[in-house]
Amino acid sequence: MVKVGVYVCHCGTNIAGVVDVEAVRAFAETLPGVALARRSLFMCSDTGQEMIKQDIRDGLVDRVVVAACTPRTHEPIFRAACEAAGLNKYLFEMANIRDQDSWVHGQDHAGATEKAKKIVSSAVAKATHLKPLEDKFVDVEPTALVIGGGVGGIFSALELGGMGYKTYLVEKQPSIGGVMAQLDKTFPTNDCSACILTPVMVDAGNHPNIELLTYSEVESVDGYIGNFTVKVRRKQTYIDWNKCTGCGACAEACPAKVPDEFNCGLNERGAAYIHFPQAVPKKAVIDMEHCINCAGRKIGTEPKISKKTGKPMLAPCEKACPADAINRSLPLNPEGELIELKIGTIVVATGYKVMGKESFKEYAPQSPNVITALQLERIISATGPTGGKLLRPSDQVKPKTLTFVSCVGSRDERYHTYCSRVCCMYMIKQARLLKEKYPDLNINMHFIDVRCAGKDYDEYYVGARKMGINIFKGKVGGVEMLPDDKLRVLAYDMESGTPMEYESDLVVLATAIESNEDARKVAQVTGLQFCGAHFFRELHPKLGPVETSVEGLFVAGCCQGPKDIPDTVSQAKGAAAAAAVPLAQGKVKIEPIISEVHPEKCSGCGICVPLCPYDAITLKPYGDRPRAQIDITQCHGCGVCTAACPSGAIVLHGYTEDQIFSQIAALTA
Amino acid sequence: MPAIKIDQDKIKEAVQTIVDLGGDGIRNCVQCGACSAVCPGVKAGFPVLCRLLIRKILNGQLEETIEEVSTWGCQSCNRCTEVCPQGVRPQEVVFAYRRYQAGELAMSASAFGPQMSLYETGHAVTTDATAANREKVGLNPVPPTALQNKAAQKEIQTLLDESPMADLGIF
């Protein structure tokens, strides 16, 4: 006969403030199989855990039920306590009377107490049928993958590489650097972004343990922690990077014209181009989507032979290349090159994009002089389209009055309800840089409220006021186009309660940070989850900020939520440290709560095979016929196969039929 | 100006009154001021519109604001609703406040004439200016609307008699 110990937690007032804990404890004592029932203010404290351990050591209990919070955060703690006292840790069961009871029925004390009794009796019923299970271990591939080559990805890769692990850094653009490479200077120190980022990019490019896979995208991720198989697709460039010296001659020769994404579409680049002057690796690519197939020669065909000279007629890019690195005769392969990697752990740092101005009809997006803040960043950057001079796009004339509009698309139910966190600061930065350079420039900034929570940030903001930058509280309601490329700003000064209306030469919209379009694909291939705002969901907002619900997968940077550079770098290094743990241990545990086929009962019908979301089931010969077999390293214990098997041949350990039925019986008693 | 005393019951009553009268987005307001930035009424010199009206209600200043004429300056252009980032629908709040004012008969004297005209003729504002032009082109000087349709006028009167307007005793 089993001896179940039931431990009911007060969780301070989290549970005890609603549920009558003593009544639940007394009720638990009456349940069949229960040897004793106790309660404690905090079961997870040392005292609470010691209570369980002592009862096990004294031989009073051999099954443990803790009625407390969520297994998500606390099951490992209590399992460890059972194990420390010599009990198999899978003889532990948790009853969630906080998240599923006291938190949701805060106003109904009697009802919540009754529900707690039900939840406890269900857990006890299951506990009486629990069987000991054993963990399994598998070896780990000591290799890391970082997806995304922005500042977050670069720092994750440098950390992992620095610890001695082979690290692949995958970036979809031809160069690493991400959005930070597009910035002019960075707040609150006004460091030149290129000056602090470029050396780090070079470090990553030269690191003996880091392999850059730029112009590439992750195609699939299979397997499990420690043993991922990752397929990376490298886009075809038509330029042999072993030969390319990054001289840029092909880019100059290319006659195609495409908006330059690095300069936010403010100028044009060729189809053959180098991503930006400080690119790492500094290699050219030919972007086939925009290649105009010069001289009527289709890509993948041999050049025509000139009747005059008898020599092949080459395309301008081929002709210009002094290194002979371009070969347009190669057949077009839209699939690119597929590389397969064996990976232990993965850091996802896919970053963000800023919203375009098009959605905001009220701010005259049709005017070339209404720009996004990232566009302004390119305009004031030395490597930008104007060489760092402030010139408005419509006529390349220096503006006299400049207006900043905050919270465009952020803190807005129509677009994104969250605060993008960096806009206040980067607008103040841009205003300060411009005021320093052009003291006669009139700068008006309109905020809903100024958010400067960070080290030295508020001082930076107060400094902007001292410099004579006008700061108004109140959101701009509209921008209208006027003749002569002027703009009328309709604003409101909240402090004086009066409307404001004035003419401005340039309007800068601080548009929201939002997740990259590619994030959806990354989520599909990795199994990562999104939060409501469409950023990747971390395991726990406070205690698991870099971990995710997929074991072996970690997140860093703006793909997890908007953040500034210091926070991104901190999180990137944190994610790298967490991702290195399994690599350092050399082996990972496989929880035994997975499914197993009893081949003698299996009819080989194969229903389970396509149902398995993890492709863990195959039909393998057993005796005279094929039977289902489950790969324990692939199985996640979801139970779909168990529920679907018409022969009842599949057992999900930890959720066996008798365990589930006993729970149902207890709940419906 | 006397200082406002924060009275939670008063705030609750003020907000509930406006919510019940149709201004149910009022609690979403974060006081960004975008509504007032585009409001033609505010520009015309009616300061207590959208943003400030909402603030006063959220402070519980319902009765104290009852004589405010700004609300009657609202032209229902609805630009406030277009630009509001929080889904407050400020124009609905203004109209809810107007309903509150009307319920207390706190509307301008000039509003009573059109109300009575609406009840009697089916049009709040009638004009003789077009009559001559209509006659010139051979039309009846009175347009073919409720103005010359007794049945329609009766219907309008029935509707108004059944509405909260009847309780005001204007007709």
Side-chain angles (χ1 to χ4, degrees), chain A residues 366-383:
Chain A
Q366 69 277 21
S367 166
N369 296 328
V370 173
I371 57 172
T372 66
L374 195 55
Q375 285 178 317
L376 180 65
E377 201 74 47
R378 293 313 302 150
I379 290 177
I380 61 177
S381 168
T383 60

Side-chain angles (χ1 to χ4, degrees), chain A residues 80 128 252 398 410 486 503 516 532 588 656:
Chain A
T128 56
E252 276 172 37
K398 186 172 101 47
S410 320
K486 289 252 181 198
E503 284 183 12
N516 253 320
V588 283
T656 58

